[in-house]
Amino acid sequence: MTFEDAPLYNDTAQGPPNGQAHWVKTQDGLRMRVGHWRAQTQERGTLLLFPGRTEYVEKYGITATAMTNAGYAMLASDWRGQGLADRIIDDPIRGHIRKFSDYQTDVAAVIELATRLDLPKPWFVLGHSMGGAIALRALCNGLPVTAAVFTAPMWGIRLPDALRPIAGLLGSFAPVLGYGSWLAPSTSAGSYVLDQAFEGNLLTSDPQMYQYLRDHLACDPRLEIGGPSIQWVGESLQECANLAKLPSPDLPCLTFLGSNEGIVSTEAIHARMNHWPAGQLEIVQDAQHEVLMEDLQTRTETHNKIIEFFSQFQNT
């Protein structure tokens, strides 16, 4: 079967040389971009990487290099409303979603492509930040994977003080009043990595990796996305609350959390992992939100722990 090729800025991503990207259509008619890299050694399985809010395929080129060197194919996507996927509203820079469950429609398109590409089994999922919420919901819905990894999963959101008391109300009433796509209070209209100096950023303590993120947006400004809409905040808060009521899936799980996390709720992560029977929580000392984009030693150790975790399931 042939697929429509999509752009992939593999050099900027520092991904394996065999990277490819494709356009896929969701059941509700939106166009997504999905990138993948084949294993560079004997095939041992496939990692389905679910990115966070504002993210795009190229962000995970370095992780793809680590995974494919270890024998794992890797696939990553641009969710609706970000990256090179179709944007939801006329203002392309604003992060928006109509319903959080729409991301599961995107997941279905990703799984269909992975199946048609005949990516090697077993399959694993890695959900980062918002992708952690999407992945957890997908697991509860029967995502066909053998084990799961999370990095700083968005199972709760650390809101700015000014937004916390009114976030739920805004999220409920703003869409009804026609204001759902408005920028959430206290958030920026521009890209965080472009607007925020390295000093004081909440993503990574490594200046080279911060520049790596900026380089992606310089390569193609269409990858840029700014702060979330009021409706995104409301939908995300509701999804986190709904997920918190669900038991953890009967699946092996490894979760990484930086000791200096400042974006998602660490309390929600501890609460979930304390009750995940086959789950393990790894605290990454001195790391911030992007544990896969810290200094070389930290991200290498994290990649190696993920690969070691996957190696347990080669006969499944």
Side-chain angles (χ1 to χ4, degrees):
M1 179 177 181
T2 60
F3 305 96
E4 183 183 357
D5 290 339
L8 177 65
Y9 306 112
N10 207 34
D11 289 344
T12 306
Q14 300 178 33
N18 62 5
Q20 294 181 297
H22 307 290
W23 297 117
V24 299
K25 281 278 189 168
T26 63
Q27 287 186 340
D28 56 352
L30 292 182
R31 189 176 76 163
M32 294 174 59
R33 183 178 63 135
V34 182
H36 72 95
W37 295 266
R38 293 281 183 175
Q40 301 188 73
T41 63
Q42 183 178 358
E43 293 181 337
R44 303 175 67 192
T46 298
L47 173 60
L48 308 175
L49 200 147
F50 286 13
R53 197 191 79 81
T54 79
E55 297 180 358
Y56 42 81
V57 172
E58 285 80 5
K59 183 182 174 186
Y60 292 98
I62 292 174
T63 295
T65 296
M67 294 299 119
T68 59
N69 282 340
Y72 296 95
M74 198 182 99
L75 179 150
S77 62
D78 291 354
W79 302 122
R80 63 182 60 208
Q82 60 192 61
L84 297 183
D86 284 347
R87 300 294 169 105
I88 307 300
I89 55 178
D90 291 339
D91 180 1
I93 201 69
R94 198 176 306 160
H96 185 66
I97 193 70
R98 294 191 178 97
K99 297 182 297 180
F100 205 91
S101 60
D102 287 345
Y103 290 123
Q104 296 305 314
T105 303
D106 297 353
V107 170
V110 168
I111 295 302
E112 181 180 2
L113 178 65
T115 301
R116 291 181 176 179
L117 290 171
D118 196 25
L119 295 180
K121 301 285 184 73
W123 288 357
F124 307 96
V125 67
L126 190 161
H128 173 66
S129 198
M130 182 187 78
I134 296 171
L136 180 56
R137 174 64 68 180
L139 290 173
C140 293
N141 291 345
L143 185 72
V145 298
T146 297
V149 173
F150 297 95
T151 58
M154 191 191 79
W155 296 335
I157 303 174
R158 184 174 294 187
L159 293 171
D161 292 340
L163 186 57
R164 187 178 297 111
I166 60 172
L169 290 174
L170 279 175
S172 297
F173 291 107
V176 176
L177 298 174
Y179 304 141
S181 64
W182 286 25
L183 192 68
S186 80
T187 62
S188 169
S191 165
Y192 180 83
V193 298
L194 297 182
D195 290 351
Q196 171 65 49
F198 170 72
E199 293 76 13
N201 88 86
L202 299 176
L203 299 179
T204 175
S205 62
D206 188 86
Q208 291 182 331
M209 293 306 291
Y210 202 65
Q211 185 60 47
Y212 172 75
L213 299 177
R214 288 178 162 180
D215 289 344
H216 296 159
L217 304 186
C219 178
D220 190 339
R222 293 177 300 169
L223 295 172
E224 182 180 357
I225 186 172
S229 69
I230 295 172
Q231 193 161 339
W232 184 93
V233 173
E235 285 289 318
S236 298
L237 289 171
Q238 187 59 56
E239 176 68 351
C240 289
N242 291 340
L243 288 172
K245 300 173 185 176
L246 299 177
S248 297
D250 184 16
L251 202 72
C253 167
L254 176 61
T255 296
F256 295 90
L257 176 63
S259 63
N260 296 334
E261 171 62 49
I263 293 178
V264 298
S265 168
T266 57
E267 293 82 4
I269 294 170
H270 281 280
R272 167 67 62 182
M273 295 309 299
N274 285 341
H275 298 90
W276 196 309
Q280 177 183 351
L281 178 61
E282 289 267 352
I283 303 299
V284 184
Q285 291 302 319
D286 300 321
Q288 295 179 217
H289 186 60
E290 302 285 355
V291 298
L292 296 177
M293 297 187 181
E294 284 289 351
D295 62 89
L296 177 60
Q297 179 178 343
T298 299
R299 65 178 181 267
T300 299
E301 290 176 354
T302 304
H303 284 146
N304 288 342
K305 287 178 180 179
I306 294 171
I307 292 164
E308 181 180 0
F309 176 66
F310 289 162
S311 69
Q312 304 173 59
F313 309 105
Q314 295 310 299
N315 296 321
T316 59

